[in-house]
Amino acid sequence: MAFYQRNSQRGVLSFSTLLLFFLWFCYPTASNTWIALSILFILTILNPQIFQNLKSKYFLKFNIHIALFCVVIFASWYISKSYIAQYTLPTVPTTKLVRVLFISISLFISILFLQYHAKKGRGEYILGNLIKILFVYTVLIDLQSLTVSARAIEEQIYWAGNKFSLTYSNLWLAFLYFLKNPDLRGQKRTVYYSMLVVTLFISIHSDCSTSVIATFVMFLLTWLRYSKLSKVLCQPSFFIISIVLSASLMVFFSAVVFQIPFFNYVLVKILGESEDMTGRLLLYERLTTILLDHPLWGYGIRNVASIIEPLIPTIKNSQNGVLQLYLEMGIMGVVTYFAYLIRIVLHAQGRKMLYPVIVLLYMYLVIGLVEIPFTPTALFLASFIFLKQEFYERTHYCRL
């Protein structure tokens, strides 16, 4: 009887992991609100116990941070309803209530799912299953992408969506594999670096310079994992400074950066960007007219495209990670979002097995200079830190 019960539990966990994949990593299902809501409902029904760890000593402060962010998601959308129409065109839709609720609830429940099963000793099992599922999915979408003409434009739809969802899937697979095998010894090192080579190839083929940069950052930070720099990266103060640089360097000093021959050569000659960074420089200039209009709550999640279109019709987002977060949810969103990540960085200090999460966060900070990676998905991926056993060692030091 115990044997069948264990197999039944493992079957439910495997199916739940598959649902988690469809909820977060599979673009066709994750982008459809009603399908994603159905998946979330089934996931919750299958795992009603996940709410038991809400007040656990290991997770309480993390859960307070993520709950506050989820509240801000809804509050910023609700408050912005009173003024968003002043900035958008009548023909451009804004985010619906059901999508806003789904984003906040799915993030909170998914993190609770990771916490509960990790505390039960199932973290490595979930991680291993998810890697297998994501590997199959990534192989399929990569092969399909090779049938599309090289250097396809952003609007080209792959099975995975656009070029970003295609290449990010490869980056996520490499990150999860690194997290499961942080020592990268022997064959595991070969497999990991092969994943990065494939990611680089797919990024170049799909003309996604952002993922080219991300791949090099992951390679460099992985290579330096035993250096003194890795300890510096785990310092919350350094992480905060990096957030400020990611937010301001290109937005306020892009003209200066382009005057530096090395950066100009890399961006224009190697990565193939235009002299105006594909319209980014003009966008940063025009955004100054609305930056300070609603600094506290922003314009609502997923509404940035609606307010940017009247400024520059060819651009759909702010082209900067922190700036996008600020425009969506204001100062409240930026503070609650990064407070959660800062706590994760603090918890990774001195724990080599958790270093892959640090690599992920700094990779996002670098590409956040010119793209918008700071989404709920990034928070969810960072929360995979809970799946590692080392997370639960020496928790007494945490003082924040």
Side-chain angles (χ1 to χ4, degrees):
M1 181 64 70
F3 172 78
Y4 288 110
Q5 188 176 7
R6 283 197 301 272
N7 278 337
S8 176
Q9 291 175 346
R10 181 159 290 193
V12 170
L13 185 57
S14 297
F15 184 64
S16 298
T17 306
L18 180 63
L19 293 177
L20 209 63
F21 161 76
F22 283 119
L23 194 61
W24 289 98
F25 300 102
C26 181
Y27 176 81
T29 53
S31 59
N32 186 303
T33 301
W34 293 108
I35 292 177
L37 270 173
S38 301
I39 293 171
L40 180 63
F41 177 76
I42 298 171
L43 181 68
T44 308
I45 293 298
L46 290 176
N47 300 271
Q49 321 94 324
I50 61 176
F51 299 96
Q52 294 177 6
N53 286 325
L54 271 172
K55 297 181 180 180
S56 166
K57 65 177 182 178
Y58 298 103
F59 309 123
L60 179 59
K61 293 178 181 179
F62 289 95
N63 290 341
I64 290 174
H65 281 304
I66 204 66
L68 287 173
F69 177 69
C70 291
V71 170
V72 168
I73 290 176
F74 175 77
S76 65
W77 173 85
Y78 182 79
I79 294 171
S80 69
K81 284 177 61 181
S82 62
Y83 51 76
I84 187 70
Q86 303 172 25
Y87 301 89
T88 61
L89 299 174
T91 56
V92 180
T94 54
T95 310
K96 303 298 183 183
L97 173 61
V98 64
R99 189 67 189 180
V100 174
L101 291 175
F102 164 74
I103 291 170
S104 54
I105 295 173
S106 63
L107 176 62
F108 193 65
I109 287 179
S110 298
I111 290 176
L112 292 182
F113 173 88
L114 296 180
Q115 292 174 350
Y116 173 77
H117 288 292
K119 197 67 180 65
K120 291 292 184 179
R122 303 163 188 157
E124 293 295 334
Y125 182 79
I126 291 175
L127 197 53
N129 266 5
L130 196 54
I131 289 171
K132 293 174 185 175
I133 297 168
L134 190 56
F135 174 76
V136 173
Y137 174 73
T138 303
V139 168
L140 290 176
I141 61 176
D142 283 353
L143 290 175
Q144 187 272 338
S145 72
L146 298 179
T147 66
V148 178
S149 58
R151 298 186 178 277
I153 59 173
E154 181 180 341
E155 286 71 22
Q156 171 66 54
I157 299 299
Y158 301 96
W159 282 354
N162 60 24
K163 63 181 181 181
F164 295 105
S165 51
L166 168 69
T167 55
Y168 284 6
S169 294
N170 285 267
L171 290 169
W172 294 337
L173 177 61
F175 159 68
L176 293 178
Y177 187 84
F178 187 19
L179 184 63
K180 184 164 177 59
N181 307 284
D183 54 348
L184 291 181
R185 299 186 183 213
Q187 187 178 6
K188 294 175 182 177
R189 180 170 61 245
T190 303
V191 172
Y192 173 71
Y193 285 119
S194 297
M195 287 179 174
L196 292 183
V197 170
V198 171
T199 302
L200 181 62
F201 174 77
I202 295 297
S203 300
I204 293 173
H205 176 77
S206 60
D207 197 23
C208 187
S209 57
T210 302
S211 292
V212 171
I213 296 171
T215 306
F216 278 114
V217 171
M218 286 190 70
F219 174 84
L220 179 62
L221 294 184
T222 303
W223 183 59
L224 295 171
R225 65 189 181 281
Y226 296 122
S227 69
K228 292 181 179 180
L229 176 63
S230 65
K231 296 181 179 179
V232 174
L233 296 177
C234 291
Q235 296 293 329
S237 56
F238 187 81
F239 185 68
I240 293 171
I241 292 172
S242 301
I243 294 170
V244 174
L245 289 175
S246 181
S248 60
L249 195 60
M250 292 304 293
V251 175
F252 299 109
F253 304 105
S254 51
V256 176
V257 171
F258 256 86
Q259 294 302 316
I260 301 174
F262 172 76
F263 289 110
N264 187 285
Y265 179 80
V266 170
L267 292 170
V268 178
K269 300 297 183 181
I270 297 180
L271 297 179
E273 296 286 353
S274 61
E275 288 286 352
D276 68 343
M277 287 290 288
T278 323
R280 287 179 175 91
L281 302 188
L282 179 60
L283 172 66
Y284 296 151
E285 178 184 338
R286 294 188 178 179
L287 277 177
T288 56
T289 60
I290 61 171
L291 275 181
L292 299 180
D293 285 2
H294 303 283
L296 196 59
W297 295 103
Y299 299 89
I301 193 166
R302 306 283 177 88
N303 281 340
V304 174
S306 303
I307 65 171
I308 285 180
E309 184 162 343
L311 301 176
I312 302 182
T314 57
I315 296 181
K316 304 300 181 183
N317 59 66
S318 68
Q319 306 293 303
N320 178 274
V322 181
L323 179 59
Q324 179 84 2
L325 196 60
Y326 168 80
L327 288 172
E328 286 188 335
M329 289 169 275
I331 295 172
M332 297 296 291
V334 173
V335 170
T336 53
Y337 188 98
F338 285 107
Y340 183 77
L341 294 183
I342 290 169
R343 178 162 293 283
I344 284 179
V345 171
L346 181 65
H347 214 87
Q349 280 184 299
R351 304 179 181 191
K352 293 180 180 179
M353 297 297 104
L354 305 183
Y355 181 68
V357 176
I358 298 298
V359 173
L360 175 80
L361 295 182
Y362 279 95
M363 180 266 286
Y364 275 150
L365 284 173
V366 172
I367 64 175
L369 287 164
V370 292
E371 281 302 337
I372 54 169
F374 298 121
T375 63
T377 302
L379 291 181
F380 177 62
L381 284 169
S383 300
F384 274 70
I385 194 173
F386 300 133
L387 297 182
K388 301 299 291 183
Q389 186 59 39
E390 195 173 7
F391 173 86
Y392 304 95
E393 300 171 1
R394 298 183 289 111
T395 57
H396 64 277
Y397 82 97
C398 195
R399 302 296 183 190
L400 281 184

